[in-house]
Structure formats: structure tokens, C-alpha cells
Amino acid sequence: MIHFIGAGPGAEDLITVRGARLLGEADVIVYAGSLVNPALLHYKKESCKVYDSAGMTLEQVIEVLTETERAGGAAVRLHTGDPALYGAIREQMDRLDELGIAYDVTPGVSAFSGAAAALTAEYTLPRVSQSVIITRMEGRTPVPEGEKLRKMASHGCTMVLFLSTGLLEQVEQELLAGGAYGPDTPAAIVYKATWPEQKVLRCTVSTLAKTARENQVTRTALITVGGFLGTEYERSKLYDPAFTHGYREASK
Ligand code: SAH
């Protein structure tokens, strides 16, 4: 069996209990060394072989995983955050399907959850935003026409940008071109959320690039944007004494 595991956003105790157990049982681990905290390798057994996928191709990764499996061993492919987001796991799973090799997936805490925790923020606030757009600025990997950043920015909801820290001038332009955010709309750059070296940089849409430059943040950061970072919101109906719902009668 091959296990795809979400490592979580960084802190070594933010992997799931299941993920940590599977790491402990693995004979081989292929991990994304550029993003996964190497401290997570503390969970492995001594005899486990470790490969850093940063310098490997898809074909090489599949070969290491399948060789282990054919020899009767347990192989783990460790991805940062949750593997379902920008994890490139589909292409690996499709190869394994072609080869008739069984695998499973253990989810992880995504960096966008780690960033909200670092910000001590809630992405979905009544009367502010009830949706979160997770997207990226187009770079060398193209983005489908209907998902260009300026289109996504036309909603004005909470937005979390992955893989875009090197393109912040364009990000600012595109966010403003969407028409729903202004130059003063609150934004934040969260660098290495949940890692010991985490940085939380609060700014606005028009100061994203400058803030990243001044703080030498060029990668491994998320950009969050929207009114959820502001001070205005309405309290929830769920815990409102005047509101009756399936589990509680209104008390006044
Ligand atoms: N599957 C991962 C995302 C992988 S894409 C997840 O669910 O989190 C890699 C990008 O994720 C990085 O370029 C950066 O934008 C973001 N990222 C990953 N870990 C991060 C962290 N701890 N803090 C901030 N951003 C992070």
C-alpha cells in the first residue's frame, strides 16, 4: 500500500494522528523537501529510507514508491498542507491506477487553515464574507480563463492566494481591477504559518508588494485579502439569545 499524507502547514505536531502513525510504519518516505518541515521525519523508524522529491521527476517518484510496494514494504508520499490543494497528487494516483497499485490518502491541515490560526482570524464573518476563494496568481502555470485573478476579485469575498508571493505587483493590480476591493482593503501576508519562523504581516491591498519587500518575504507565504481582517462584522445568529434554532429556544 502506498500512502499519500498531508503533512500539515509546518509545525511538526500539526500532522494528523493517522498521518504520524503511517509515517512511523513507513519503510520509505518521499517528501517535498522544499516545503515540508524536516522535523516531521522524527516520526519515522530508524531503518526508513528518505527521498526528497525536490530534485525528482514524477517518474522517479513513482519508481521509488512502486519498488517499495513490490518488495512488500510501506511507502509514504508526504505532501505539504493538504495534498488536495496544489499537491500534484492526481498525476501520481493515475500512474498507480495504471500500474494496478493500491494507495490511500490521509488529509492534512492546509496552510490556509494555518494562516487563519496565525492571524487569529475567521474567514467567514456574517455580513462580511460567507465564501473563501482559494486561488493563485497566474505564473508559469496557466490559470483557466474564467478564474483569472481579476475575475475572482470581483466578488469581494475572503481570498487566499497560494503560490503568488513572487508576483505581488501583479496581484495588487489584478485585485484592484476586479472592482470589489479598494487600495485600503485589509490584507495580510502570512509567511511560514505555524513554523517557528512564522511572520504575520498585516497591510492593505495596495501595500502588499512593498510589505513583502521590506520584510524580505519572497516565498512560502499566503496572501489573504478581505474585510474579514477588518473590525466590522455582525454577531452570529447561532449564539444570539434572541434566535431560536433546532437545538435551542430563544431566551428573550
Ligand atoms: N498543499 C499545500 C499547498 C502547496 S502549494 C497546502 O494545502 O497548504 C505551496 C504553496 O503553499 C506555497 O508557495 C505557499 O504559498 C503555500 N504554503 C505552504 N505552506 C505554507 C505555510 N506554512 N505558510 C504559508 N504559506 C504556505
Side-chain angles (χ1 to χ4, degrees), residues 9-10 35 80-83 85-87 109-112 161-165 190-195 220-222:
L35 279 165
T80 181
D82 184 274
L85 286 172
Y86 308 108
V109 177
S110 175
F112 82 88
L161 299 175
F162 283 72
L163 299 160
S164 305
T165 318
V190 184
Y191 170 74
K192 287 204 155 184
T194 82
W195 288 64
T220 329
L222 286 179

Side-chain angles (χ1 to χ4, degrees), residues 63-97:
E63 197 174 313
V64 169
L65 298 176
T66 52
E67 262 178 20
T68 312
E69 154 79 19
R70 287 189 177 124
V76 162
R77 177 72 172 105
L78 187 61
H79 283 272
T80 181
D82 184 274
L85 286 172
Y86 308 108
I89 57 163
R90 172 66 187 270
E91 60 194 27
Q92 298 175 67
M93 296 189 293
D94 281 352
R95 290 289 170 110
L96 296 176
D97 285 341

